[in-house]
Amino acid sequence: MREVAFSYLKELNDIQRLAVTTLDGPVMVIAGPGSGKTRVLTYRIAHMLNSGINPGNILALTFTNKAAKEMKHRIEHVAGQGANRVWAGTFHSLFARILRTEAHRLGFPNDFTIYDTDDTKSVIEEIIKTMNLDKKVYVAGQVRSRISSAKSNLITPKAYSANEDLMAMDRMNRRPLIYQIYEKYVAKCQKSGAMDFDDLLLQMFKLLYQNPDGVREKYQQQFRYVMVDEFQDTNYLQYEILKMLCYYEGSPRNICIVGDDAQSIYSFRGATIENILQFEHDFKDVKTFKLEQNYRSTSYIVNAANDVIKFNSKQIQKKIWTDKADGPKIKIIKSMSETEEGKRVADTIVEQKNRHNLANKDIAILYRTNGQSRIFEEALRRYNLTYRIYGGLSFYQRKEIKDIIAYMRLTVNEKDDEALKRVINYPRRGIGDSTVDGIMQIANDNDMSMWEVISKIEFNPRARKSIGEFVSLIERFRNYSSSNDAYQTALYIAKHSGIVDLFKAEGTLEAEGRLENITSLLDGIQEFTEDDELLINEEFSADKSMSRFLQSISLMTDADDEKGETDAITLMSVHAAKGLEFKSVFVTGLEENLFPSYQSLSTPEQIDEERRLFYVAITRAETYLTLTFANSRYQFGQMRFNDQSRFLEEISSENIDAISSITREESKPAFGEPKLLGNFKKAIAAPPKVDAANFKPSSLDKIKKGQKVLHLKFGEGEVLAVDERMVATIFFSQATDMKEKRIVLQFAKLQVISE
């Protein structure tokens, strides 16, 4: 009977089996990507149940409710109904469950309220107001993040005020009274019988640490076996709670952690890699099992992952391997610009679909920042390829993008009621919903546009000033637009609408992401206005206006709803891709200051995390891995020339098949003995290094056949012909897809460098 119950052990390899069957004492499972981590985790709990351990004595902690639900389902499949009585769930959900029973010991009601982020910000805003502080300096979102970080590091308001480093940073940011806001916030929550998400951890720690009525021993005795998934993602507070539950005199210390230090990528959420690196030191008799066999990827992908991660200084040594067939080597695509990068990724996807019979759902495009999705969305739409944005909205459906575009639409067309309704009180300018409803009613009753109503009808004194300022603002946008191109107009709107200032003042990670998206939109409009590579045809138009730009994106913003599509190419950030896998993966934007991020260049620890992020990205691929970068990219309205990412140079050349650049014909580089990609730089042509500061466009009458000219984007070229319409044919030796280009001189920006 027991032999039948344990039949699932035959499905495991030798190391997996040891990890599953070693139940007593501290255990650390280092699970490389694609190594069967979830199976080990669930089979281990199933083995506990089949070995007679009471399910109520098992605490299994995860980071998502979805993971906990899936875990229970799998355990039930192997071990039966006992899975339902295992304490399996997220840190927050299980600790909330305990606090519902024990909160009265801490001075909270057991039916305490749980504040979400909006509730927390509202309380902080009220405190800032009662303290008569400048809300533009003490931004509620920033204060909330500061308090959250303090709680996650076990810093009380009293300890905060005594910490000179924290106080000095607050003084530097002109917010020396955050500690008082923190103190008042804690008192307010206690008075209201409420806890925020951070409190669910902090109050659990206090419960165990203060140990009223021996409650700590109660839960130490109950949770005789503790398992933690994704341990590399735990923060300082979570680990301290775990140690109080498992590390005490006489404890069997039956704790099993499962994770991978090489996939620790969430420091911005408070996670610390030190927890997993220190575990062997804290639990000296730990048994460590390294799951190094990768069942997901081909050998070239696995070897590339090993190549990259070995450059990190702090790590638990391991070497992942696979016995899967070799498959194709890694492909690298070099593009001259981000637009071309998007086009070439789409080209390659079409080729893979046709040549290897891949479905859309087999393919993923990964990027470092969400703002990068725009260029790939546009390229995929042109090819009519179905896609979905994972964990977020399509670029043109994001709120901040729709808000800015609504201002643009209203600038072009004052009768656009939908655009007007969207922005008339955003950012807030004191025009309430009842006023807007009244405007709509008047417009409907009199067959007028809402703009006609607000620009012609007198309102009560309270609304008159705000509406008048809004009307004046839109008229300024319209006047500016009449004599400026789409980019200059968009930049003017972004600066003066108040949206950019709103996000800058908020200062949170979410606000920073929204600013990145707005910047990406502006960069796209800049490219639209400066795209002088205009192919001449019967419909030739050099219209650079805001109206023309809005027309160019109309198919993207008005696309059919794709929610029902199941066979879709996945677009996502690398952070969102963790835990997923695809037959074909494109890791894009591999340039210095982008991946690795410019924000990570200040310390070796941050570079190491960026490298771990790249490690996660490439190990999502099963068979086809394509790495791409662009020599030039619009950033903050300027064309910037970029060096390829250092991570590309860390991949051994023996794992790379071809570097696609210059032309669409791919030739294998003449790599010698395997070494770091010092050869990589030699195998591709360097980008045109044009000094933008000293670049001076020549007048049109000086550009003639036979002259050498310089172009910011394409580098040096030779004028082959100039026709009667002032359209020049120019040969650019460093151009990628077409060396010979036809360019409208009126918008060309060419500098003559030789007669």
Side-chain angles (χ1 to χ4, degrees):
M1 182 72 174
R2 177 58 58 88
E3 184 176 344
V4 174
F6 291 167
S7 61
Y8 53 86
L9 295 177
K10 297 177 183 178
E11 301 176 27
L12 306 172
N13 65 34
D14 292 343
I15 299 297
Q16 289 175 334
R17 192 177 302 111
L18 282 171
V20 164
T21 56
T22 305
L23 302 182
D24 298 325
V27 172
M28 179 166 68
V29 180
I30 302 300
S35 61
K37 179 203 72 168
T38 303
R39 172 173 288 190
V40 167
L41 195 67
T42 54
Y43 279 25
R44 193 172 194 276
I45 296 175
H47 192 67
M48 288 181 187
L49 299 178
N50 284 335
S51 299
I53 295 172
N54 187 327
N57 293 143
I58 301 172
L59 176 67
L61 294 160
T62 67
F63 275 85
T64 66
N65 290 311
K66 180 181 177 183
K69 185 176 180 181
E70 181 182 355
M71 181 192 298
K72 281 191 173 183
H73 178 74
R74 291 193 181 196
I75 296 168
E76 186 176 323
H77 180 72
V78 176
Q81 292 296 322
N84 290 327
R85 291 183 285 124
V86 172
W87 281 63
T90 66
F91 281 87
H92 290 86
S93 65
L94 292 184
F95 292 169
R97 180 177 169 186
I98 292 171
L99 288 168
R100 289 293 185 200
T101 303
E102 312 292 350
H104 65 280
R105 304 181 192 277
L106 299 169
F108 286 87
N110 286 349
D111 57 350
F112 59 88
T113 299
I114 298 177
Y115 280 167
D116 63 17
T117 301
D118 289 339
D119 295 326
T120 298
K121 286 175 66 175
S122 178
V123 173
I124 291 172
E125 285 172 352
E126 181 184 338
I127 293 170
I128 291 169
K129 184 177 181 180
T130 58
M131 291 177 67
N132 293 317
L133 300 175
D134 187 346
K135 65 181 181 180
K136 293 182 179 178
V137 176
Y138 287 88
V139 180
Q142 294 176 351
V143 175
R144 187 201 68 81
S145 295
R146 198 82 171 137
I147 292 173
S148 175
S149 177
K151 288 183 177 181
S152 296
N153 287 282
L154 280 176
I155 300 173
T156 63
K158 185 177 180 180
Y160 192 109
S161 64
N163 187 308
E164 185 51 38
D165 289 339
L166 293 175
M167 295 298 290
M169 183 175 292
D170 287 344
R171 287 193 295 270
M172 183 179 68
N173 291 319
R174 299 186 300 118
R175 296 185 301 230
L177 299 181
I178 282 183
Y179 77 98
Q180 289 188 18
I181 300 174
Y182 184 10
E183 187 175 50
K184 292 178 184 296
Y185 174 72
V186 169
K188 177 73 172 176
C189 287
Q190 187 95 36
K191 180 181 177 182
S192 302
M195 298 185 194
D196 61 26
F197 288 127
D198 296 307
D199 282 326
L200 297 176
L201 301 182
L202 182 60
Q203 298 300 334
M204 182 67 188
F205 173 85
K206 284 185 177 180
L207 181 72
L208 299 177
Y209 183 76
Q210 295 174 0
N211 195 28
D213 302 323
V215 71
R216 180 171 64 228
E217 288 76 18
K218 171 184 174 181
Y219 288 103
Q220 286 172 343
Q221 292 301 312
Q222 176 169 350
F223 301 129
R224 306 289 290 179
Y225 293 86
V226 177
M227 287 192 63
V228 188
D229 189 16
E230 303 286 9
F231 187 74
Q232 76 280 348
D233 295 336
T234 56
N235 62 26
Y236 174 76
L237 180 53
Q238 288 165 327
Y239 190 26
E240 289 302 307
I241 294 171
L242 290 170
K243 284 191 283 190
M244 276 198 287
L245 285 173
C246 303
Y247 202 102
Y248 56 92
E249 186 176 350
S251 167
R253 291 182 294 163
N254 297 328
I255 180 173
C256 173
I257 65 165
V258 182
D260 182 6
D261 59 297
Q263 297 185 67
S264 177
I265 60 174
Y266 294 123
S267 66
F268 66 94
R269 294 181 185 170
T272 171
I273 192 175
E274 296 301 324
N275 287 352
I276 195 168
L277 296 179
Q278 284 292 318
F279 191 80
E280 287 181 301
H281 178 268
D282 295 334
F283 294 84
K284 296 186 184 300
D285 56 342
V286 63
K287 300 179 182 69
T288 300
F289 303 100
K290 297 179 181 179
L291 308 184
E292 297 173 301
Q293 183 174 0
N294 180 290
Y295 292 93
R296 175 188 301 153
S297 308
T298 62
S299 60
Y300 293 118
I301 296 170
V302 167
N303 292 339
N306 286 325
D307 288 341
V308 170
I309 204 63
K310 70 183 180 185
F311 283 87
N312 273 13
S313 54
K314 291 184 178 181
Q315 60 177 295
I316 298 171
Q317 292 297 327
K318 67 177 181 303
K319 187 172 183 178
I320 58 175
W321 61 276
T322 183
D323 58 8
K324 288 185 71 173
D326 283 345
K329 290 187 176 183
I330 297 167
K331 181 177 182 179
I332 295 178
I333 294 178
K334 170 204 170 188
S335 300
M336 296 297 290
S337 68
E338 60 183 326
T339 301
E340 186 187 327
E341 180 187 33
K343 186 175 187 305
R344 299 200 68 189
V345 166
D347 286 341
T348 307
I349 287 174
V350 171
E351 179 186 352
Q352 287 184 349
K353 285 170 59 67
N354 291 336
R355 181 177 295 182
H356 305 297
N357 198 31
L358 295 184
N360 288 331
K361 64 184 178 183
D362 296 328
I363 302 167
I365 300 173
L366 308 184
Y367 33 74
R368 180 63 182 84
T369 65
N370 285 316
Q372 290 169 255
S373 76
R374 174 186 60 82
I375 205 70
F376 300 108
E377 290 186 64
E378 292 174 2
L380 295 175
R381 285 187 184 279
R382 291 189 185 104
Y383 281 84
N384 200 28
L385 292 169
T386 302
Y387 67 88
R388 66 184 179 117
I389 306 291
Y390 185 94
L393 294 170
S394 171
F395 183 84
Y396 288 101
Q397 294 301 315
R398 292 168 188 164
K399 181 182 183 303
E400 61 275 15
I401 300 303
K402 295 184 79 169
D403 290 335
I404 288 282
I405 287 178
Y407 272 108
M408 297 175 187
R409 285 167 48 187
L410 196 58
T411 298
V412 169
N413 175 19
E414 62 187 23
K415 295 183 178 180
D416 189 336
D417 283 354
E418 291 305 311
L420 187 146
K421 283 189 290 185
R422 188 174 188 93
V423 299
I424 189 171
N425 197 39
Y426 184 79
R428 291 182 181 177
R429 49 177 59 90
I431 304 174
D433 290 344
S434 59
T435 301
V436 175
D437 290 342
I439 294 169
M440 291 171 58
Q441 188 64 50
I442 295 170
N444 291 333
D445 292 345
N446 295 276
D447 196 23
M448 302 166 67
S449 69
M450 292 178 69
W451 177 263
E452 288 177 296
V453 174
I454 64 175
S455 59
K456 294 179 180 179
I457 292 179
E458 285 291 323
F459 289 85
N460 63 60
R462 184 177 178 182
R464 184 185 306 148
K465 183 175 182 293
S466 297
I467 292 175
E469 289 174 350
F470 176 70
V471 170
S472 177
L473 179 69
I474 300 303
E475 287 178 342
R476 280 167 52 203
F477 291 166
R478 184 173 296 116
N479 291 336
Y480 192 89
S481 175
S482 65
S483 56
N484 288 276
D485 64 27
Y487 173 69
Q488 293 299 330
T489 302
L491 192 61
Y492 188 82
I493 289 172
K495 286 181 177 179
H496 293 89
S497 65
I499 293 177
V500 168
D501 289 340
L502 183 71
F503 293 135
K504 284 183 177 178
E506 185 175 329
T508 62
L509 282 172
E510 180 183 3
E512 185 178 323
R514 293 184 186 278
L515 279 173
E516 286 179 353
N517 290 336
I518 291 173
T519 298
S520 179
L521 174 67
L522 293 174
D523 289 340
I525 301 174
Q526 171 82 327
E527 189 169 17
F528 166 82
T529 58
E530 293 198 353
D531 186 7
D532 47 22
E533 187 191 347
L534 296 172
L535 299 181
I536 309 305
N537 54 45
E538 293 179 0
E539 297 180 357
F540 165 72
S541 171
D543 185 356
K544 308 283 186 175
S545 68
M546 176 58 70
S547 177
R548 181 63 185 271
F549 169 74
L550 291 174
Q551 178 184 332
S552 73
I553 65 168
S554 61
L555 292 177
M556 297 170 192
T557 57
D558 297 332
D560 293 336
D561 187 359
E562 296 169 349
K563 289 181 181 177
E565 296 285 354
T566 54
D567 184 30
I569 297 164
T570 299
L571 275 65
M572 64 171 67
S573 70
V574 181
H575 281 101
K578 188 168 176 287
L580 303 177
E581 57 187 47
F582 303 88
K583 288 183 181 178
S584 175
V585 169
F586 293 79
V587 185
T588 62
L590 284 163
E591 302 138 34
E592 289 292 298
N593 295 314
L594 183 55
F595 201 173
S597 165
Y598 71 92
Q599 295 175 316
S600 71
L601 302 181
S602 57
T603 68
E605 291 77 16
Q606 290 174 321
I607 287 291
D608 281 358
E609 176 148 339
E610 289 288 299
R611 187 175 284 110
R612 293 194 294 269
L613 191 60
F614 182 56
Y615 177 88
V616 167
I618 61 180
T619 54
R620 301 308 95 199
E622 297 177 8
T623 307
Y624 307 99
L625 176 61
T626 307
L627 310 177
T628 77
F629 69 99
N631 287 145
S632 64
R633 189 179 295 273
Y634 278 99
Q635 291 178 298
F636 309 106
Q638 299 292 324
M639 172 75 77
R640 298 179 185 267
F641 297 103
N642 311 306
D643 293 326
Q644 64 266 18
S645 171
R646 67 190 70 191
F647 302 148
L648 289 173
E649 298 174 45
E650 294 171 356
I651 301 175
S652 174
S653 56
E654 65 185 357
N655 296 312
I656 296 170
D657 176 36
I659 296 172
S660 176
S661 63
I662 311 302
T663 67
R664 294 192 183 280
E665 296 178 0
E666 294 174 0
S667 58
K668 293 188 179 182
F671 290 121
E673 290 298 313
K675 60 180 74 173
L676 295 184
L677 270 180
N679 292 320
F680 174 77
K681 290 182 177 178
K682 298 175 185 177
I684 61 177
K689 294 293 184 181
V690 181
D691 184 355
N694 295 321
F695 181 84
K696 296 180 180 178
S698 302
S699 60
L700 302 187
D701 58 355
K702 290 187 177 181
I703 300 172
K704 296 180 172 48
K705 179 180 178 180
Q707 287 176 322
K708 299 289 186 183
V709 294
L710 198 62
H711 186 281
L712 273 175
K713 182 175 179 181
F714 305 119
E716 188 175 314
E718 180 181 352
V719 180
L720 302 181
V722 180
D723 67 19
E724 67 279 1
R725 294 179 294 174
M726 295 300 289
V727 176
T729 303
I730 305 175
F731 179 85
F732 292 99
S733 60
Q734 291 180 298
T736 308
D737 51 352
M738 294 186 302
K739 294 178 182 295
E740 196 173 290
K741 298 181 182 292
R742 302 184 73 196
I743 291 179
V744 181
L745 292 183
Q746 181 183 355
F747 305 102
K749 294 184 181 178
L750 297 168
Q751 179 180 340
V752 176
I753 56 177
S754 70
E755 298 295 333

